[in-house]
Coordinates of all heavy atoms in Angstrom, one line a residue:
M272 N 78.0 100.0 97.8 CA 77.2 99.6 99.0 C 77.6 98.2 99.4 O 78.0 97.4 98.6 CB 75.7 99.6 98.5 CG 74.9 100.0 99.6 SD 73.3 100.6 99.0 CE 72.2 99.5 99.8
G273 N 77.6 97.9 100.7 CA 78.0 96.6 101.2 C 77.0 95.5 100.8 O 75.8 95.8 100.5
D274 N 77.5 94.3 100.9 CA 76.6 93.1 100.6 C 75.8 92.9 101.9 O 76.3 92.6 102.9 CB 77.5 91.9 100.4 CG 76.8 90.7 100.0 OD1 75.5 90.7 100.3 OD2 77.4 89.7 99.5
P275 N 74.4 93.0 101.7 CA 73.5 92.8 102.9 C 73.6 91.4 103.5 O 73.2 91.2 104.7 CB 72.1 93.1 102.4 CG 72.2 93.0 100.9 CD 73.7 93.3 100.5
Q276 N 74.1 90.4 102.7 CA 74.3 89.1 103.2 C 75.5 88.9 104.1 O 75.6 87.9 104.9 CB 74.4 88.1 102.0 CG 73.2 88.1 101.1 CD 71.9 87.8 101.8 OE1 71.8 86.9 102.6 NE2 70.9 88.6 101.5
K277 N 76.4 89.8 104.0 CA 77.7 89.7 104.8 C 77.5 90.2 106.2 O 76.7 91.1 106.5 CB 78.8 90.5 104.2 CG 79.5 89.8 103.0 CD 80.7 90.7 102.6 CE 81.6 89.9 101.6 NZ 82.8 90.8 101.3
K278 N 78.2 89.5 107.1 CA 78.2 89.9 108.5 C 79.5 90.6 108.8 O 80.4 90.5 108.0 CB 78.0 88.7 109.4 CG 76.7 88.0 109.2 CD 76.3 87.1 110.3 CE 74.9 86.7 110.3 NZ 74.4 86.3 109.0
S279 N 79.5 91.4 109.9 CA 80.7 92.2 110.2 C 82.0 91.3 110.2 O 83.0 91.7 109.7 CB 80.6 92.9 111.5 OG 80.4 92.0 112.5
K280 N 81.9 90.1 110.6 CA 83.1 89.3 110.7 C 83.6 88.8 109.4 O 84.7 88.3 109.2 CB 82.9 88.0 111.6 CG 81.8 87.0 111.1 CD 81.7 85.9 112.1 CE 80.5 84.9 111.7 NZ 80.6 84.4 110.4
D281 N 82.8 89.0 108.3 CA 83.2 88.6 107.0 C 84.1 89.7 106.3 O 84.7 89.5 105.3 CB 81.9 88.4 106.1 CG 81.1 87.3 106.6 OD1 81.7 86.3 107.1 OD2 79.8 87.4 106.5
Y282 N 84.1 90.9 106.9 CA 84.9 91.9 106.3 C 86.3 91.9 107.0 O 86.5 91.5 108.1 CB 84.3 93.3 106.6 CG 83.0 93.6 105.8 CD1 81.8 93.3 106.3 CD2 83.1 94.0 104.5 CE1 80.6 93.5 105.5 CE2 82.0 94.2 103.7 CZ 80.8 93.9 104.2 OH 79.6 94.1 103.5
P283 N 87.3 92.3 106.2 CA 88.7 92.4 106.8 C 88.8 93.4 107.9 O 88.0 94.4 107.9 CB 89.6 92.8 105.6 CG 88.6 93.4 104.6 CD 87.3 92.8 104.8
E284 N 89.7 93.2 108.8 CA 89.9 94.1 109.9 C 90.5 95.4 109.4 O 91.3 95.4 108.5 CB 90.8 93.5 111.0 CG 90.1 92.3 111.7 CD 90.9 91.8 112.9 OE1 92.0 92.4 113.2 OE2 90.6 90.8 113.4
G285 N 90.1 96.5 110.0 CA 90.7 97.8 109.7 C 92.0 98.0 110.4 O 92.6 97.1 110.9
G286 N 92.3 99.3 110.5 CA 93.6 99.7 111.2 C 93.5 99.3 112.7 O 92.7 99.8 113.4
V287 N 94.3 98.3 113.1 CA 94.2 97.8 114.5 C 95.4 98.4 115.3 O 96.6 98.2 114.8 CB 94.2 96.3 114.6 CG1 94.3 95.8 116.0 CG2 93.0 95.8 113.9
I288 N 95.1 99.1 116.3 CA 96.2 99.6 117.2 C 96.3 98.7 118.4 O 95.4 98.8 119.3 CB 96.0 101.0 117.6 CG1 96.1 101.9 116.3 CG2 97.1 101.5 118.6 CD1 95.7 103.3 116.5
D289 N 97.2 97.8 118.5 CA 97.1 96.7 119.5 C 98.2 96.9 120.6 O 98.4 96.0 121.4 CB 97.2 95.3 118.9 CG 98.5 95.2 118.1 OD1 99.3 96.1 118.1 OD2 98.7 94.1 117.5
E290 N 98.8 98.0 120.7 CA 99.7 98.3 121.8 C 99.8 99.8 122.1 O 99.6 100.6 121.2 CB 101.1 97.8 121.4 CG 101.7 98.5 120.2 CD 103.1 98.0 119.9 OE1 104.0 98.2 120.8 OE2 103.3 97.4 118.9
A291 N 100.0 100.1 123.4 CA 100.0 101.4 123.8 C 101.2 102.2 123.2 O 102.3 101.6 123.0 CB 100.1 101.5 125.3
G292 N 101.0 103.5 122.9 CA 102.1 104.3 122.4 C 102.5 104.0 121.0 O 103.5 104.5 120.5
S293 N 101.7 103.3 120.3 CA 102.0 102.9 118.9 C 102.0 104.1 117.9 O 102.5 104.0 116.8 CB 101.1 101.8 118.4 OG 99.8 102.2 118.4
A294 N 101.4 105.2 118.3 CA 101.3 106.4 117.5 C 102.7 106.9 117.1 O 102.9 107.4 116.0 CB 100.6 107.5 118.1
R295 N 103.7 106.6 117.9 CA 105.1 107.0 117.6 C 105.6 106.3 116.4 O 106.5 106.8 115.7 CB 106.0 106.6 118.8 CG 105.9 107.6 120.0 CD 106.9 107.1 121.0 NE 106.7 108.0 122.2 CZ 107.4 109.1 122.4 NH1 108.2 109.5 121.5 NH2 107.2 109.8 123.5
K296 N 105.1 105.1 116.1 CA 105.6 104.3 115.0 C 105.0 104.8 113.6 O 105.5 104.4 112.6 CB 105.3 102.8 115.2 CG 106.0 102.3 116.4 CD 105.7 100.8 116.6 CE 106.4 100.3 117.8 NZ 106.0 98.9 118.1
Y297 N 103.8 105.4 113.7 CA 103.2 105.9 112.4 C 103.7 107.2 112.0 O 103.6 108.2 112.7 CB 101.6 106.0 112.6 CG 101.0 104.6 112.8 CD1 100.7 104.1 114.0 CD2 100.6 103.9 111.7 CE1 100.1 102.9 114.2 CE2 100.0 102.6 111.8 CZ 99.8 102.1 113.1 OH 99.2 100.9 113.2
K298 N 104.4 107.3 110.9 CA 104.9 108.5 110.4 C 103.9 109.4 109.7 O 103.7 109.3 108.5 CB 106.1 108.2 109.4 CG 107.2 107.3 110.0 CD 107.9 108.0 111.2 CE 109.0 107.2 111.8 NZ 109.3 107.5 113.1
T299 N 103.1 110.1 110.5 CA 102.0 110.9 110.0 C 102.5 112.0 109.1 O 101.7 112.5 108.3 CB 101.2 111.4 111.1 OG1 102.0 112.1 112.1 CG2 100.4 110.3 111.9
G300 N 103.8 112.3 109.2 CA 104.3 113.3 108.2 C 104.3 112.9 106.8 O 104.4 113.7 105.9
D301 N 104.0 111.6 106.5 CA 104.0 111.1 105.2 C 102.8 111.6 104.4 O 102.7 111.6 103.2 CB 103.9 109.6 105.2 CG 105.2 108.9 105.7 OD1 106.2 109.6 105.7 OD2 105.1 107.7 105.9
W302 N 101.8 112.1 105.2 CA 100.6 112.7 104.5 C 100.8 114.1 104.0 O 100.0 114.6 103.3 CB 99.4 112.7 105.5 CG 99.1 111.5 106.3 CD1 99.6 110.2 106.0 CD2 98.4 111.4 107.5 NE1 99.1 109.3 106.9 CE2 98.4 110.0 107.8 CE3 97.6 112.3 108.2 CZ2 97.7 109.5 108.9 CZ3 97.0 111.8 109.3 CH2 97.0 110.4 109.7
R303 N 101.8 114.7 104.4 CA 102.0 116.2 104.3 C 102.1 116.6 102.8 O 102.8 115.9 102.0 CB 103.3 116.6 105.0 CG 103.5 118.1 105.2 CD 104.7 118.3 106.1 NE 105.9 117.7 105.5 CZ 106.6 116.8 106.1 NH1 106.4 116.4 107.4 NH2 107.6 116.2 105.5
S304 N 101.5 117.7 102.4 CA 101.7 118.3 101.1 C 102.5 119.6 101.2 O 103.0 120.1 100.2 CB 100.3 118.5 100.4 OG 99.5 119.4 101.2
Q305 N 102.5 120.2 102.4 CA 103.3 121.4 102.6 C 104.1 121.2 103.8 O 103.7 120.5 104.8 CB 102.4 122.6 102.8 CG 101.6 123.0 101.5 CD 101.1 124.4 101.6 OE1 100.4 124.7 102.6 NE2 101.4 125.3 100.7
K306 N 105.3 121.9 103.9 CA 106.1 121.7 105.0 C 106.5 123.1 105.6 O 106.8 124.0 104.8 CB 107.3 120.9 104.8 CG 108.4 121.5 103.8 CD 109.4 120.5 103.3 CE 110.3 120.0 104.4 NZ 111.4 119.2 103.9
P307 N 106.6 123.3 106.8 CA 107.1 124.5 107.4 C 108.6 124.7 107.4 O 109.3 123.7 107.6 CB 106.5 124.5 108.9 CG 106.5 123.1 109.2 CD 106.3 122.3 107.9
E308 N 109.0 125.9 107.1 CA 110.5 126.2 107.2 C 110.6 127.5 108.0 O 109.8 128.4 107.9 CB 111.1 126.4 105.9 CG 111.2 125.1 105.1 CD 111.9 125.2 103.7 OE1 112.4 126.3 103.4 OE2 111.9 124.2 103.0
V309 N 111.6 127.5 108.9 CA 111.8 128.7 109.8 C 113.0 129.5 109.3 O 114.0 129.0 108.9 CB 112.0 128.2 111.2 CG1 113.2 127.4 111.4 CG2 111.9 129.4 112.2
D310 N 112.8 130.8 109.4 CA 113.9 131.8 109.2 C 114.4 132.2 110.5 O 113.8 133.0 111.2 CB 113.3 133.0 108.4 CG 114.4 134.0 108.1 OD1 115.5 134.0 108.7 OD2 114.1 134.9 107.3
K311 N 115.5 131.6 110.9 CA 116.1 131.9 112.2 C 116.5 133.3 112.4 O 116.7 133.8 113.5 CB 117.3 130.9 112.4 CG 116.9 129.5 112.6 CD 115.9 129.2 113.7 CE 116.4 129.4 115.1 NZ 115.4 129.1 116.1
E312 N 116.7 134.1 111.3 CA 117.0 135.5 111.4 C 115.8 136.3 112.0 O 116.0 137.3 112.8 CB 117.3 136.1 110.1 CG 118.6 135.5 109.4 CD 119.8 135.9 110.2 OE1 119.9 137.1 110.5 OE2 120.7 135.1 110.4
K313 N 114.6 135.8 111.7 CA 113.4 136.5 112.2 C 112.9 135.9 113.6 O 112.2 136.6 114.3 CB 112.2 136.3 111.2 CG 112.5 137.1 109.9 CD 111.2 136.8 109.0 CE 111.4 137.4 107.6 NZ 110.3 137.1 106.8
C314 N 113.3 134.7 113.8 CA 112.8 134.0 115.0 C 113.3 134.6 116.3 O 114.5 134.9 116.5 CB 113.2 132.5 115.0 SG 112.7 131.6 116.5
I315 N 112.4 134.9 117.3 CA 112.8 135.4 118.6 C 112.6 134.4 119.7 O 112.7 134.7 120.9 CB 111.9 136.7 118.9 CG1 110.4 136.3 118.9 CG2 112.2 137.8 118.0 CD1 109.5 137.4 119.5
N316 N 112.4 133.1 119.3 CA 112.3 132.0 120.3 C 111.3 132.2 121.4 O 111.5 131.8 122.5 CB 113.7 131.7 120.9 CG 114.7 131.3 119.9 OD1 114.5 130.2 119.3 ND2 115.8 132.0 119.7
C317 N 110.1 132.7 120.9 CA 109.0 132.9 121.9 C 108.3 131.5 122.1 O 107.6 131.4 123.1 CB 108.0 133.9 121.3 SG 107.2 133.3 119.8
L318 N 108.6 130.6 121.2 CA 108.0 129.2 121.4 C 106.5 129.1 121.2 O 105.8 128.2 121.6 CB 108.4 128.5 122.7 CG 109.9 128.5 122.9 CD1 110.3 127.6 124.1 CD2 110.7 128.0 121.7
W319 N 105.9 130.2 120.6 CA 104.5 130.2 120.3 C 104.2 129.0 119.4 O 103.1 128.4 119.5 CB 104.1 131.5 119.7 CG 102.9 132.2 120.2 CD1 101.9 132.8 119.5 CD2 102.5 132.3 121.6 NE1 100.9 133.3 120.3 CE2 101.2 133.0 121.6 CE3 103.0 131.9 122.8 CZ2 100.5 133.3 122.8 CZ3 102.3 132.1 124.0 CH2 101.1 132.8 123.9
C320 N 105.0 128.8 118.4 CA 104.8 127.7 117.5 C 104.7 126.3 118.2 O 103.9 125.5 117.9 CB 105.9 127.6 116.4 SG 107.6 127.7 117.1
W321 N 105.6 126.2 119.2 CA 105.6 124.9 120.0 C 104.3 124.8 120.8 O 103.7 123.7 120.9 CB 106.8 125.0 121.0 CG 106.9 123.7 121.8 CD1 107.5 122.6 121.5 CD2 106.3 123.6 123.2 NE1 107.4 121.7 122.6 CE2 106.7 122.3 123.6 CE3 105.7 124.5 124.1 CZ2 106.3 121.9 124.9 CZ3 105.3 124.0 125.3 CH2 105.6 122.7 125.7
V322 N 103.8 125.9 121.3 CA 102.5 125.9 122.1 C 101.4 125.4 121.2 O 100.5 124.6 121.5 CB 102.3 127.2 122.7 CG1 100.9 127.3 123.3 CG2 103.3 127.6 123.8
Y323 N 101.3 126.0 120.0 CA 100.2 125.8 119.1 C 100.2 124.5 118.3 O 99.2 124.0 117.8 CB 100.0 127.0 118.2 CG 99.2 128.1 118.8 CD1 99.9 129.2 119.3 CD2 97.8 128.0 118.8 CE1 99.2 130.2 119.9 CE2 97.1 129.0 119.4 CZ 97.8 130.1 120.0 OH 97.1 131.2 120.6
C324 N 101.4 123.9 118.1 CA 101.5 122.8 117.2 C 100.7 121.6 117.7 O 100.9 121.1 118.8 CB 103.0 122.3 117.0 SG 103.1 120.8 116.0
P325 N 99.7 121.1 117.0 CA 98.9 120.0 117.5 C 99.6 118.6 117.4 O 99.1 117.6 117.9 CB 97.7 120.0 116.6 CG 98.2 120.6 115.3 CD 99.3 121.6 115.7
D326 N 100.8 118.6 116.8 CA 101.4 117.3 116.6 C 102.8 117.2 117.3 O 103.6 116.3 117.0 CB 101.6 117.0 115.1 CG 100.3 116.7 114.4 OD1 99.6 115.8 114.9 OD2 99.9 117.5 113.5
N327 N 103.0 118.1 118.2 CA 104.3 118.0 118.9 C 105.5 117.9 118.0 O 106.4 117.2 118.2 CB 104.3 116.8 119.9 CG 105.5 116.9 120.9 OD1 106.0 118.0 121.2 ND2 105.9 115.7 121.4
S328 N 105.5 118.7 116.9 CA 106.5 118.6 115.9 C 107.4 119.8 115.8 O 108.2 119.9 114.9 CB 105.8 118.5 114.5 OG 105.1 117.3 114.4
V329 N 107.3 120.7 116.7 CA 108.3 121.8 116.8 C 109.4 121.4 117.8 O 109.1 121.0 118.9 CB 107.6 123.2 117.3 CG1 108.7 124.2 117.4 CG2 106.6 123.6 116.2
L330 N 110.6 121.4 117.3 CA 111.7 121.0 118.2 C 112.3 122.1 119.0 O 112.6 123.2 118.4 CB 112.8 120.4 117.3 CG 112.3 119.1 116.5 CD1 113.4 118.7 115.5 CD2 112.0 118.0 117.5
V331 N 112.5 121.9 120.2 CA 113.0 122.9 121.1 C 114.2 122.3 121.9 O 114.1 121.2 122.4 CB 111.9 123.4 122.2 CG1 112.6 124.4 123.2 CG2 110.8 124.1 121.4
E332 N 115.3 123.1 121.9 CA 116.5 122.6 122.6 C 117.0 123.8 123.5 O 117.2 124.9 122.9 CB 117.6 122.2 121.7 CG 117.3 120.8 121.1 CD 118.4 120.3 120.1 OE1 119.4 121.0 120.0 OE2 118.1 119.4 119.4
E333 N 117.1 123.6 124.7 CA 117.6 124.6 125.7 C 116.9 125.9 125.5 O 117.4 127.0 125.4 CB 119.1 124.8 125.5 CG 119.9 123.6 125.8 CD 121.4 123.8 125.7 OE1 121.8 124.8 125.2 OE2 122.1 122.8 126.0
G334 N 115.5 125.8 125.4 CA 114.7 127.0 125.3 C 114.6 127.7 124.0 O 114.0 128.8 123.9
K335 N 115.2 127.1 123.0 CA 115.2 127.7 121.7 C 114.5 126.8 120.6 O 114.7 125.6 120.6 CB 116.6 128.0 121.2 CG 117.2 129.1 122.1 CD 118.5 129.6 121.5 CE 119.0 130.8 122.4 NZ 120.2 131.4 122.0
M336 N 113.8 127.4 119.7 CA 113.2 126.7 118.6 C 114.3 126.3 117.6 O 115.0 127.2 117.1 CB 112.1 127.6 118.0 CG 111.2 126.9 117.0 SD 112.0 126.7 115.4 CE 110.6 126.3 114.4
V337 N 114.4 125.1 117.3 CA 115.6 124.6 116.5 C 115.1 124.0 115.2 O 115.9 123.6 114.4 CB 116.5 123.7 117.2 CG1 117.2 124.4 118.4 CG2 115.8 122.4 117.7
G338 N 113.8 123.8 115.0 CA 113.3 123.2 113.7 C 112.1 122.4 113.9 O 111.3 122.6 114.9
F339 N 111.9 121.4 113.1 CA 110.7 120.7 113.0 C 110.9 119.2 113.0 O 111.9 118.7 112.4 CB 109.8 121.0 111.8 CG 109.5 122.5 111.8 CD1 110.2 123.4 111.0 CD2 108.4 123.0 112.5 CE1 109.9 124.7 110.9 CE2 108.1 124.4 112.4 CZ 108.8 125.2 111.7
R340 N 110.0 118.4 113.6 CA 110.1 116.9 113.5 C 109.2 116.6 112.3 O 108.0 116.4 112.4 CB 109.5 116.3 114.8 CG 109.6 114.8 114.9 CD 109.1 114.2 116.2 NE 109.9 114.6 117.3 CZ 109.6 115.4 118.3 NH1 108.4 116.0 118.2 NH2 110.4 115.7 119.3
Y341 N 109.8 116.5 111.2 CA 109.1 116.3 109.9 C 108.4 114.9 109.9 O 107.5 114.7 109.1 CB 110.0 116.6 108.7 CG 110.2 118.0 108.5 CD1 111.6 118.5 108.5 CD2 109.3 118.9 108.2 CE1 111.9 119.8 108.3 CE2 109.5 120.3 108.0 CZ 110.8 120.7 108.1 OH 111.1 122.0 107.9
S342 N 108.9 114.0 110.6 CA 108.3 112.6 110.5 C 106.9 112.6 111.0 O 106.1 111.8 110.6 CB 109.1 111.6 111.3 OG 109.2 112.1 112.7
H343 N 106.5 113.6 111.9 CA 105.1 113.7 112.4 C 104.4 115.0 112.0 O 103.2 115.1 112.2 CB 105.1 113.4 113.9 CG 105.2 112.0 114.3 ND1 106.4 111.4 114.4 CD2 104.3 111.0 114.4 CE1 106.3 110.1 114.7 NE2 105.0 109.9 114.7
C344 N 105.1 116.0 111.5 CA 104.4 117.2 111.1 C 103.5 117.0 109.9 O 104.0 116.5 108.9 CB 105.5 118.2 110.8 SG 104.9 119.7 109.8
K345 N 102.2 117.3 110.1 CA 101.3 117.0 108.9 C 101.1 118.3 108.0 O 100.3 118.2 107.1 CB 99.9 116.6 109.5 CG 99.9 115.4 110.3 CD 98.5 114.9 110.6 CE 98.4 113.9 111.7 NZ 98.4 114.6 113.0
G346 N 101.9 119.3 108.3 CA 101.8 120.5 107.4 C 100.6 121.3 107.5 O 100.1 121.9 106.5
C347 N 100.0 121.4 108.7 CA 98.7 122.1 108.9 C 98.9 123.6 108.8 O 97.9 124.3 108.4 CB 98.1 121.7 110.2 SG 99.0 122.3 111.6
G348 N 100.1 124.1 109.1 CA 100.4 125.5 108.9 C 99.9 126.4 110.1 O 100.1 127.6 110.1
I349 N 99.5 125.8 111.2 CA 99.1 126.5 112.4 C 100.4 127.3 112.9 O 100.2 128.5 113.3 CB 98.5 125.6 113.4 CG1 97.2 125.1 113.0 CG2 98.4 126.4 114.8 CD1 96.6 124.0 113.9
C350 N 101.5 126.7 112.9 CA 102.7 127.3 113.5 C 103.0 128.6 112.7 O 103.3 129.7 113.2 CB 103.9 126.4 113.4 SG 104.2 125.7 111.8
A351 N 102.8 128.5 111.4 CA 103.1 129.7 110.5 C 102.1 130.8 110.8 O 102.4 132.0 110.8 CB 103.1 129.3 109.0
A352 N 100.9 130.4 110.9 CA 99.8 131.4 111.2 C 99.9 132.1 112.5 O 99.6 133.3 112.6 CB 98.4 130.7 111.1
E353 N 100.4 131.4 113.5 CA 100.5 131.9 114.9 C 101.9 132.6 115.1 O 101.9 133.4 116.1 CB 100.3 130.8 115.9 CG 98.9 130.2 115.8 CD 97.8 131.2 116.1 OE1 98.0 132.2 116.8 OE2 96.7 131.0 115.7
C354 N 102.9 132.4 114.4 CA 104.2 133.0 114.6 C 104.1 134.5 114.6 O 103.7 135.1 113.5 CB 105.2 132.5 113.6 SG 106.8 133.4 113.8
P355 N 104.4 135.2 115.7 CA 104.2 136.7 115.7 C 105.2 137.4 114.8 O 105.0 138.6 114.5 CB 104.4 137.0 117.2 CG 105.3 136.0 117.7 CD 104.9 134.7 117.0
K356 N 106.3 136.7 114.4 CA 107.3 137.4 113.6 C 107.3 136.9 112.1 O 108.1 137.3 111.4 CB 108.7 137.1 114.2 CG 109.0 137.7 115.5 CD 108.9 139.2 115.3 CE 109.4 140.0 116.5 NZ 109.3 141.4 116.2
K357 N 106.3 136.1 111.8 CA 106.2 135.6 110.4 C 107.5 134.9 110.0 O 108.0 135.1 108.9 CB 105.8 136.7 109.4 CG 104.4 137.4 109.8 CD 103.3 136.4 109.6 CE 102.0 136.9 110.1 NZ 101.1 135.9 110.7
A358 N 108.1 134.2 111.0 CA 109.3 133.6 110.7 C 109.2 132.2 110.0 O 110.2 131.6 109.6 CB 110.1 133.4 112.0
I359 N 107.9 131.7 110.0 CA 107.7 130.4 109.5 C 106.9 130.5 108.1 O 105.9 131.2 108.0 CB 106.9 129.5 110.4 CG1 107.7 129.3 111.7 CG2 106.6 128.1 109.8 CD1 106.9 128.6 112.8
T360 N 107.5 129.8 107.1 CA 106.8 129.9 105.8 C 106.5 128.4 105.4 O 107.3 127.5 105.6 CB 107.9 130.4 104.7 OG1 108.3 131.6 105.2 CG2 107.1 130.6 103.4
M361 N 105.3 128.3 104.8 CA 104.9 126.9 104.4 C 105.3 126.8 102.9 O 105.0 127.6 102.1 CB 103.4 126.8 104.5 CG 102.8 126.9 105.9 SD 103.6 125.7 107.1 CE 102.9 124.2 106.5
K362 N 106.1 125.7 102.7 CA 106.6 125.4 101.3 C 106.0 124.2 100.8 O 105.7 123.2 101.5 CB 108.1 125.3 101.4 CG 108.8 126.5 101.9 CD 109.2 127.4 100.7 CE 109.9 128.7 101.2 NZ 111.2 128.6 101.8
K363 N 105.8 124.1 99.5 CA 105.2 122.9 98.9 C 106.2 121.8 99.1 O 107.4 121.9 98.8 CB 104.9 123.2 97.4 CG 104.0 122.2 96.7 CD 103.6 122.6 95.4 CE 102.8 121.5 94.7 NZ 102.5 121.8 93.3
E364 N 105.7 120.7 99.5 CA 106.5 119.5 99.7 C 107.2 119.1 98.4 O 106.6 119.1 97.3 CB 105.6 118.3 100.2 CG 106.4 117.1 100.7 CD 107.2 117.4 102.0 OE1 106.7 118.1 102.9 OE2 108.4 117.0 102.0
G365 N 108.5 118.8 98.5 CA 109.2 118.3 97.4 C 110.0 119.4 96.6 O 110.8 119.1 95.8
N366 N 109.7 120.7 97.0 CA 110.4 121.8 96.3 C 111.5 122.3 97.2 O 111.6 122.0 98.4 CB 109.4 123.0 96.1 CG 108.5 122.7 95.0 OD1 108.6 121.7 94.3 ND2 107.5 123.6 94.8
Ligands
LIG1779 S1 106.5 131.3 116.9 FE1 108.0 132.2 115.4 S2 109.3 133.6 116.5 FE2 108.3 132.2 118.0 S3 109.7 130.5 118.3 FE3 108.3 129.9 116.7 S4 109.3 130.5 114.8 FE4 110.3 131.6 116.4
LIG1780 S1 102.8 122.6 110.2 FE1 101.3 122.0 111.8 S2 102.0 120.0 112.4 FE2 103.7 120.9 111.3 S3 105.0 121.9 112.9 FE3 103.5 123.5 112.1 S4 101.8 123.4 113.5 FE4 103.0 121.5 113.8

């Protein structure tokens, strides 16, 4: 419990985002415990995974799914759940 004698200015500042677009600098993928891997043999490049990824972490080049931006992928598994071809598998991080 906090000290009732303390005022808000007595506590240290929390996470301060002091410039626009700074989310690019935070490697949110560091939190991940599982990572997606794609089987390109099964993938039909429908890009459903790109549509559903909440972290803009599915990489697309020339209309084809080419992998993941692991620096920001949090490993939520939505891409794997939504892939119609079950081409994405979630693997334990570090294995
Ligand atoms: S949803 Fe599945 S099949 Fe579609 S592009 Fe992504 S990995 Fe490939
Ligand atoms: S696991 Fe989640 S954050 Fe990572 S690529 Fe798939 S949908 Fe995006």
Side-chain angles (χ1 to χ4, degrees):
M272 214 159 122
D274 181 346
Q276 301 302 315
K277 276 188 173 180
K278 299 200 166 39
S279 61
K280 65 181 174 52
D281 298 326
Y282 288 95
E284 289 184 10
V287 176
I288 299 174
D289 58 1
E290 60 180 294
S293 59
R295 283 180 185 273
K296 296 180 183 174
Y297 290 95
K298 302 298 182 201
T299 50
D301 291 347
W302 309 343
R303 194 177 52 239
S304 60
Q305 289 196 307
K306 69 192 295 185
E308 286 183 8
V309 63
D310 180 344
K311 292 303 289 179
E312 296 290 315
K313 293 182 182 173
C314 176
I315 56 171
N316 295 300
C317 64
L318 305 186
W319 225 221
C320 50
W321 179 84
V322 169
Y323 276 99
C324 176
D326 290 305
N327 192 26
S328 294
V329 174
L330 297 171
V331 176
E332 288 177 10
E333 297 181 357
K335 294 192 172 177
M336 190 281 192
V337 295
F339 301 96
R340 183 180 292 109
Y341 286 119
S342 57
H343 282 86
C344 163
K345 298 192 197 82
C347 66
I349 292 174
C350 54
E353 297 297 336
C354 174
K356 291 300 193 180
K357 300 296 172 212
I359 300 174
T360 308
M361 299 303 291
K362 300 267 175 72
K363 195 171 177 187
E364 189 65 47
N366 286 351

